[in-house]
Amino acid sequence: MRDTTILAIESSCDETAAAVVQNGRTVLSNVISSQIALHTLYGGVVPELASRKHIEKINQVIGEALREAERDLDEIDAVAVTYGPGLVGALLVGVAEAKAIAYARKLPLIGVHHIEGHISANYIENPDLEPPFLCLVVSGGHTHLVMVKEYGGFEILGRTADDAAGEAFDKVARAIGLGYPGGPKIDRAAREGNPDAVFFPRARIEGHPYDFSFSGVKSAVLNYLNSERMKGREICQADIAASFQKSVVEVLVDHTMQAAEQTGSKRIAIAGGVASNTCLRQAMEEACAERHYAFYRPSPVYCTDNAAMIGTAAYYEYLKGTRHGWDLNAVPNLRLGQRV
Ligand code: KG4
Ligand code: ZN
């Protein structure tokens, strides 16, 4: 069979990324220009600044991705781009760029759902992984427990009722003075801390065993900080980071194992930025090993936002015949499985 080479673009939040992916699972290049330094000044992502930075960087990042892959545009079979969900201004930069390249080169255009991309990151390093499998998606904007029934076919078993897991990491990190970006900083600080120093609540939602809620644990951390400060006590960042992380990871693993048991799925995957968390990876691996489940997780670079995962998802959409028109637009609140 002839090779299919896809140029993929991702600009939904604060990373400008481009990748060249061959036949869905071979990453020829994966270039990511992070805006962390820019947004750190403000303690979080500033949407308008993100859009402007994407415009500044996108051509350079795409050029680099093609160079690294040793491909020129004549050797590309399709152009893929994240068109939602995400920040509208940020998404528009990638969508406009992808449309321009595809139109100029008369190439098919494939719009990709960002979360479908995150889930598909698992295919890159696991040549044996095919649907169906159960996937826990934990990112800055989403927390979903998803049954991947077929390529691009999903059933959402559970979701968060309030904050996403990554959002909780970011807010708690800010509250204890670790700053932005919160997830990696809590991960690092927690290594020096005692996870049993403080008990934070593990939220369950009556009647919805696969749903999540993280606003309670965030409030519990804030209350704990206030009460300690009022007593004039020093807080230990590492202990709070480790205790908070343990409470979140326990719930994530517990719900995933319950869903696996109920659905009979023996293949478990994780995806999204929080899937790069050391404690979550380890706890999920142990829980799966105990039950003889196969456990899949992307390398950290494919967990956080990147374009290789978009190229992988796009390949399977390409095989199914998904093609978008020149009217493709950014859809900031695009739902998983929704076609626009
Ligand atoms: O998937 P992602 O890169 O972007 C979104 O689609 O949202 O996820 C970003 C989120 C942020 O909230 C970040 O704090 C979190 O993932 N994150 C982590 C870690 N690395 C990134 N959370 C916990 N531990 C980490 N090591
Ligand atoms: Zn993401």
Side-chain angles (χ1 to χ4, degrees):
M1 206 171 87
R2 200 183 151 272
D3 286 335
T4 301
T5 308
I6 294 181
L7 169 66
I9 299 168
E10 154 65 45
S11 68
S12 66
C13 190
D14 58 346
E15 329 277 357
T16 319
V20 178
V21 179
Q22 191 172 297
N23 301 331
R25 303 208 185 209
T26 305
V27 177
L28 301 180
S29 64
N30 184 34
V31 178
I32 304 168
S33 167
S34 169
Q35 303 180 358
I36 284 179
L38 170 70
H39 299 292
T40 297
L41 289 170
Y42 306 94
V45 178
V46 183
E48 180 58 26
L49 293 182
S51 315
R52 290 187 203 183
K53 203 71 182 170
H54 285 312
I55 293 173
E56 230 177 274
K57 291 281 178 189
I58 198 151
N59 283 312
Q60 183 188 329
V61 166
I62 292 171
E64 241 177 87
L66 289 166
R67 249 191 322 280
E68 243 179 59
E70 297 180 356
R71 295 288 186 280
D72 60 40
L73 281 173
D74 294 335
E75 295 165 289
I76 296 296
D77 298 300
V79 182
V81 64
T82 305
Y83 72 111
L87 302 170
V88 66
L91 287 163
L92 273 170
V93 177
V95 169
E97 180 82 18
K99 285 203 281 195
I101 297 173
Y103 183 75
R105 295 281 165 163
K106 301 190 171 52
L107 291 171
L109 173 70
I110 303 169
V112 174
H113 191 290
H114 184 71
I115 299 301
E116 183 173 341
H118 273 304
I119 294 170
S120 304
N122 280 287
Y123 299 133
I124 297 172
E125 296 155 298
N126 297 299
D128 62 316
L129 178 64
E130 285 182 9
F133 60 93
L134 183 66
C135 187
L136 172 73
V137 185
V138 271
S139 72
H142 297 83
T143 304
H144 283 350
L145 202 43
V146 180
M147 184 57 77
V148 183
K149 296 179 140 181
E150 55 180 1
Y151 290 109
F154 311 100
E155 183 187 350
I156 299 175
L157 304 177
R159 49 161 48 89
T160 181
D162 39 59
D163 291 352
E167 206 178 338
F169 271 91
D170 294 335
K171 287 177 179 169
V172 166
R174 192 175 310 148
I176 62 176
L178 285 172
Y180 167 88
K185 292 202 166 162
I186 290 205
D187 194 341
R188 209 164 315 124
R191 287 177 205 157
E192 315 294 321
N194 171 10
D196 299 311
V198 191
F199 182 84
F200 294 121
R202 277 74 169 151
R204 310 217 178 284
I205 301 174
E206 248 339 275
H208 300 274
Y210 310 139
D211 283 346
F212 303 94
S213 166
F214 296 110
S215 69
V217 61
K218 176 196 66 190
S219 304
V221 173
L222 297 178
N223 289 341
Y224 172 81
L225 291 174
N226 281 339
S227 102
E228 289 300 287
R229 279 177 191 138
M230 270 166 21
K231 290 175 197 152
R233 292 192 198 141
E234 281 283 309
I235 62 144
C236 173
Q237 275 182 334
D239 281 354
I240 300 172
S243 302
F244 158 76
Q245 181 174 265
K246 183 178 178 183
S247 73
V248 172
V249 166
E250 257 185 38
V251 170
L252 293 174
V253 174
D254 191 60
H255 287 202
T256 308
M257 291 304 122
Q258 273 192 52
E261 201 172 303
Q262 289 291 314
T263 57
S265 176
K266 296 196 179 333
R267 289 187 293 179
I268 315 294
I270 56 174
V274 183
S276 62
N277 182 267
T278 323
C279 177
L280 174 63
R281 294 166 84 86
Q282 199 178 334
M284 199 64 99
E285 182 153 20
E286 284 167 12
C288 287
E290 252 171 50
R291 294 164 178 81
H292 305 290
Y293 296 159
F295 174 52
Y296 301 89
R297 72 265 183 280
S299 292
V301 69
Y302 295 129
C303 286
T304 42
D305 288 349
N306 66 88
M309 67 185 196
I310 303 303
T312 298
Y315 174 70
Y316 292 102
E317 290 294 340
Y318 179 81
L319 294 184
K320 289 205 297 188
T322 303
R323 305 287 185 270
H324 282 91
W326 306 130
D327 59 348
L328 178 69
N329 205 350
V331 185
N333 53 1
L334 185 67
R335 279 181 288 113
L336 191 60
Q338 183 188 4
R339 304 260 166 229
V340 178

